Amino acid sequence: MTLATTITIIAIAFIISALLALPLIPMLRRLKFGQSIREEGPQAHQKKAGTPTMGGIIFIISIVVSAIAFGWMNGLLTTQTVVLLLVLAGFGLIGFLDDFIKVVLKRNLGLTSLQKLIGQIVIAVISYLLLRLGPFETTVGLPFTSFEIDLGPFYVLFLIFWLVGFSNAVNLTDGLDGLVAGTSSIAFAAFGVLGLVYGQEDLSLVAFSVTGALLGFLLFNANPAKIFMGDTGSLALGGVLAMLSVLMKQELLLLLVGIVFVIETLSVILQVISFKTTGKRIFKMSPIHHHFELSGWSEWKVVIVFWTAALAAALIAVLPEVI
């Protein structure tokens, strides 16, 4: 894949997202598909109530169209690209149902945690079975070393944990304007570059399609956001990001590339453990981006700092493979 092709993929996905957003945002406003803001969240967020949500539809469509079109033209439509798009659409559907129930049917809880978990597990297992139709390594390696462990038949359990874990991690991170769109675009760009280094152009195709689509969406999602991605977008992004790491056999490297998602999730886990065992909170509010907000940081400052951390982690992960 040439540099020109890479730029073209990103540009086309960017344009599709931007063009889709223009009519969709006012349509969602007319339909009153607005986000409800939790009362226990930062009070500054209450002004965001009514902002259109379910915007993940925009970049999911852009990714699918871009990946299929360029994949067909360049002979890169493989089992792996199909699996990635399956995870994207499947996890996106779970998020869409959750958003639809909350926003349209006015049931605040949406899908139950168990319902979402069952859906995520089903998609993960289907993906695993599709991959097992051909040669598929069940090893998990330690980044920057030759050390690896073969999980054998237990790899499916790891796959389920990985996809469910990261889809929920990205979902937890989606609390500030542009935070997930920015950090995710960086993470996918990093895996896109790694795919080129490893000769896995079919995976790079999808990764760069996601990067471009998210940057186009970010035009309308940056502060002050005109639209939110909702669970439709965040669950889809987390699932496909985890699957990318699996297909590149760089599963554990995702802990570095997706460091922001990992820290956000750990902040929630630590907060719950601390409160249940000691009755005290470690952070003013979790996930940790809210802690910084309540500590006096502007929303934009939190987002920029987290974007910078994501970029630094991506460079640390990618540069050793490129140099």
Side-chain angles (χ1 to χ4, degrees):
M1 185 183 294
T2 65
L3 178 60
T5 301
T6 299
I7 294 174
T8 302
I9 293 170
I10 294 173
I12 293 299
F14 176 95
I15 292 169
I16 294 174
S17 276
L19 291 178
L20 285 173
L22 290 173
L24 189 60
I25 292 174
M27 184 183 77
L28 290 173
R29 283 193 178 279
R30 287 195 300 271
L31 294 172
K32 300 187 184 302
F33 285 9
Q35 177 75 42
S36 58
I37 306 298
R38 295 182 307 158
E39 291 184 6
E40 63 270 24
Q43 288 304 304
H45 286 210
Q46 294 304 316
K47 63 184 180 183
K48 301 182 182 185
T51 301
T53 187
M54 303 165 71
I57 296 171
I58 293 170
F59 56 77
I60 288 175
I61 293 174
S62 175
I63 294 163
V64 171
V65 171
S66 302
I68 291 178
F70 276 94
W72 179 72
M73 289 187 293
N74 294 279
L76 296 175
L77 283 181
T78 64
T79 300
Q80 295 190 126
T81 54
V82 170
V83 168
L84 286 171
L85 295 179
L86 169 66
V87 171
L88 177 78
F91 277 68
L93 177 60
I94 295 170
F96 176 83
L97 291 174
D98 192 43
D99 287 335
F100 187 85
I101 292 170
K102 287 186 288 190
V103 175
V104 181
L105 301 183
K106 308 299 181 184
R107 299 178 191 168
N108 291 335
L109 296 179
L111 293 174
T112 66
S113 297
L114 179 60
Q115 288 171 330
K116 283 190 278 191
L117 178 61
I118 291 173
Q120 291 168 318
I121 291 174
V122 168
I123 295 166
V125 171
I126 292 174
S127 300
Y128 176 77
L129 293 175
L130 286 174
L131 292 173
R132 294 296 288 177
L133 292 176
F136 179 72
E137 295 181 22
T138 54
T139 55
V140 175
L142 189 65
F144 313 121
T145 73
S146 59
F147 179 79
E148 61 182 23
I149 298 175
D150 191 347
L151 299 181
F154 298 104
Y155 191 90
V156 64
L157 299 178
F158 171 81
L159 182 67
I160 291 170
F161 169 76
W162 212 235
L163 266 63
V164 172
F166 266 94
S167 65
N168 291 329
V170 175
N171 183 247
L172 286 173
T173 307
D174 187 29
L176 301 180
D177 296 356
L179 179 55
V180 163
T183 50
S184 294
S185 62
I186 292 169
F188 279 101
F191 274 108
V193 172
L194 289 175
L196 294 180
V197 172
Y198 302 150
Q200 296 174 298
E201 294 187 351
D202 53 341
L203 303 184
S204 291
L205 165 68
V206 176
F208 288 131
S209 294
V210 179
T211 301
L214 284 176
L215 292 176
F217 178 76
L218 191 57
L219 289 175
F220 306 91
N221 182 239
N223 187 275
K226 298 178 179 63
I227 189 168
F228 299 140
M229 67 173 65
D231 288 2
T232 305
S234 58
L235 291 179
L237 290 175
V240 77
L241 184 61
M243 183 55 79
L244 257 179
S245 72
V246 165
L247 294 176
M248 287 190 185
K249 302 314 299 175
Q250 288 290 357
E251 296 94 336
L252 298 185
L253 191 64
L254 180 55
L255 295 174
L256 177 58
V257 175
I259 189 67
V260 170
F261 309 130
V262 174
I263 291 173
E264 293 271 25
T265 304
L266 286 176
S267 73
V268 174
I269 294 172
L270 292 174
Q271 184 88 321
V272 171
I273 293 174
S274 177
F275 188 74
K276 287 190 174 182
T277 56
T278 68
K280 297 180 180 180
R281 292 180 172 87
I282 300 174
F283 308 104
K284 294 180 178 180
M285 184 178 290
S286 65
I288 199 169
H289 56 256
H290 289 322
H291 170 82
F292 288 110
E293 275 192 292
L294 296 180
S295 297
W297 288 24
S298 68
E299 181 173 351
W300 189 235
K301 180 180 179 180
V302 177
V303 171
I304 292 296
V305 170
F306 279 41
W307 283 358
T308 303
L311 179 59
L315 289 174
I316 293 171
V318 171
L319 287 179
E321 301 293 333
V322 174
I323 298 175

